[in-house]
DNA sequence: CCATCAAGTAACTGTTTAGTTACCGGCTTG
DNA sequence: CAAGCCGGTAACTAAACAGTTACTTGATGG
């Protein structure tokens, strides 16, 4: 049609290299997609998340998303893996064995609660993954090792506490961790329905602080001799 | 094409009223849609659920679904409302005030755990609704009253326990209920990721029973003087 | 016995969606 | 300096989707 419309003006118009630094930056684009995907999957779940929305949030387009991550499912799995790496890495830095057993457990409970509070997207991703019965997580090859450290360290702290006579003999490391995680997860992830049906705004700082103390108290009460 | 193939045999063939009872049954169709929708929404969430799939599961078609429930969102809200009515109704039948305070609380904890265990679709619906920040539940006009009874009854039991000196003065009814619900909800709704990352099948009867005892133990340990 | 209305079917429609293709432009390297 | 490769764009496609329309069937009351 408009073959002749090519137009003599040099279309180049070559921008005067102001800000030479890369419009072209693979690493940044990749990271932007991953972050945008984390938010989109966390807000809408696997079924509700839109590939177009992720591309737009990342300030790029679908072509790049498929280029770097394959397809929607693989991108979702990367998001989930990164989320787990995040919490397990931060957990390791705690070194709960450095204090008294009681303080160590209290520390872990506080840390877990605060991490959940500051990373709502992590809770949301867990919810989504469980809705699908861990369909994607099960395929992950990167995560088998990641979690054993936590249970190992927790186990040592409990043993020490038993030896010192401050913890009951029946205290089990997985149960202790599940107790801590349960109390934090449910309160935060279900805050919207709970606030609605009980007519109390659970995210208000006063209630938040009360629940934080409650978690530490319940956890220790359940294992102290 | 086969206009002439109409075939002289009277098509009516009027079945001999064996089983006169309605192929036509509004109430049954309605109930079938509601049940099919409960399963579909529980399995796939709001974003992942398919209206066609619900119609097929109900053994009917989309026309009826839209006829009885308006649209997908209204159907979803009905499903959610019915789920809440289910648990709150069963809870009322417990009459936790009829026993000693300690037994009453233990009873409530056991009931809640077992109800969650037998109604995974309820947990799943809660998860979905919270992903969407209670967007639909908030619109419900039917549910304001429903939940106050639970807190009221629980409050009385706690007061009685305090008067008898078996519970600490700081025990709070909402906290007690949230504790019970947390421990049951998290264990069950997150069983898939937990079983995967910790390499232990949480749904196995042995572990299930251990966690049941754990919930009762933790709940009481947190409020006993 | 026929007029009417509710229950039910199935095919259709416009839109949204995951995934693809054809193309652009600048940087690197032989 | 040209060849080709890599980061990037935008328009396209086939399928899936929520919601609608045109139609059929059967029960009921005047």
């Amino acid at each position: 049609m408009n073959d002749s419309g090519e137009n003599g003006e040099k279309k180049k118009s070559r921008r005067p290299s102001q800000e030479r630094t890369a419009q072209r930056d693979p690493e940044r684009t990749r990271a932007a997609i991953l972050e945008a995907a984390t938010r989109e999957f966390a807000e809408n779940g696997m079924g509700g998340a839109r590939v177009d929305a992720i591309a737009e949030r990342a300030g790029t387009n679908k072509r790049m998303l498929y280029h770097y991550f394959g397809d929607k499912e693989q991108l979702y799995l990367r998001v989930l893996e990164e989320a787990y790496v995040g919490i397990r890495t931060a957990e390791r830095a705690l070194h709960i064995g450095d204090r008294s057993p009681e303080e160590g457990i209290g520390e872990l409970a506080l840390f877990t609660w605060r991490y959940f509070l500051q990373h709502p997207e992590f809770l949301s991703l867990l919810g989504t993954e469980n809705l699908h019965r861990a369909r994607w997580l099960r395929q992950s090859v990167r995560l088998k090792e990641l979690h054993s450290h936590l249970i190992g360290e927790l186990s040592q702290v409990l043993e020490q506490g038993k030896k010192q006579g401050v913890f009951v003999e029946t205290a089990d490391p997985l149960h202790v961790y599940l107790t801590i995680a349960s109390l934090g997860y449910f309160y935060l992830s279900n805050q919207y329905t709970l606030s609605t049906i009980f007519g109390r705004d659970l995210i208000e700082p006063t209630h938040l602080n009360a629940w934080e103390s409650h978690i530490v108290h319940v956890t220790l009460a359940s294992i102290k001799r």
Side-chain angles (χ1 to χ4, degrees), chain A:
Chain A
M1 220 176 246
N2 51 353
D3 323 351
S4 66
E6 282 287 309
N7 190 335
E9 303 289 344
K10 290 295 151 298
K11 61 263 285 301
K12 282 290 132 67
S13 86
R14 192 173 289 268
R15 291 182 196 77
S17 88
Q18 26 95 323
E19 213 61 62
R20 282 201 63 80
T21 37
Q23 311 94 308
R24 221 132 191 245
D25 187 339
E27 237 3 273
R28 205 188 37 147
T29 301
R30 212 189 130 88
I33 292 172
L34 204 59
E35 202 208 299
T38 302
R39 285 193 292 152
E40 177 73 10
F41 283 123
E43 285 173 23
N44 302 297
M46 179 62 179
R50 298 293 161 242
V51 172
D52 294 82
I54 295 170
E56 199 187 328
R57 289 179 110 143
T60 178
N61 56 68
K62 282 194 289 187
R63 176 70 177 74
M64 291 294 94
L65 189 157
Y66 284 98
H67 182 243
Y68 289 122
F69 296 97
D71 63 9
K72 188 183 178 182
E73 302 197 9
Q74 287 176 67
L75 174 57
Y76 167 78
L77 180 55
R78 287 307 298 268
V79 164
L80 187 64
E81 287 176 340
E82 288 309 311
Y84 268 119
V85 169
I87 189 169
R88 293 288 103 95
T89 303
E91 246 163 28
R92 268 175 198 249
L94 273 183
H95 295 107
I96 57 172
D98 291 357
R99 293 157 192 72
S100 77
E102 213 167 323
E103 281 171 338
I105 300 298
E107 192 84 9
L108 179 63
L110 272 182
F111 164 81
T112 302
W113 163 253
R114 288 173 182 166
Y115 191 92
F116 284 2
L117 191 55
Q118 280 155 30
H119 296 83
E121 78 286 352
F122 176 61
L123 302 185
S124 185
L125 290 169
L126 285 190
T128 287
E129 182 62 7
N130 277 292
L131 176 67
H132 298 286
R133 312 196 170 197
R135 175 172 162 194
W136 290 282
L137 187 66
R138 255 197 279 257
Q139 293 167 25
S140 171
V141 287
R142 303 172 56 205
L143 290 169
K144 303 291 162 190
E145 303 301 280
L146 197 58
H147 308 279
S148 55
H149 179 264
L150 165 66
I151 295 297
E153 201 172 5
L154 184 48
S155 192
Q156 282 178 4
V157 173
L158 288 178
E159 283 310 316
Q160 205 191 331
K162 290 175 191 174
K163 215 175 290 171
Q164 294 177 13
V166 290
F167 292 157
V168 293
E169 287 298 326
T170 53
D172 172 72
L174 185 58
H175 277 199
V176 170
Y177 180 71
L178 292 180
T179 303
I180 293 171
S182 295
L183 295 167
Y185 182 92
F186 180 75
Y187 186 99
L188 291 172
S189 87
N190 287 37
Q191 62 175 283
Y192 305 101
T193 55
L194 292 170
S195 293
T196 303
I197 69 179
F198 293 128
R200 232 202 262 188
D201 186 14
L202 296 188
I203 209 63
E204 207 186 285
T206 324
H207 295 135
L208 239 34
N209 289 331
W211 193 250
E212 177 177 285
S213 311
H214 183 72
I215 294 178
V216 177
H217 165 244
V218 171
T219 306
L220 289 173
S222 74
I223 55 173
K224 277 209 284 197
R225 186 183 290 278

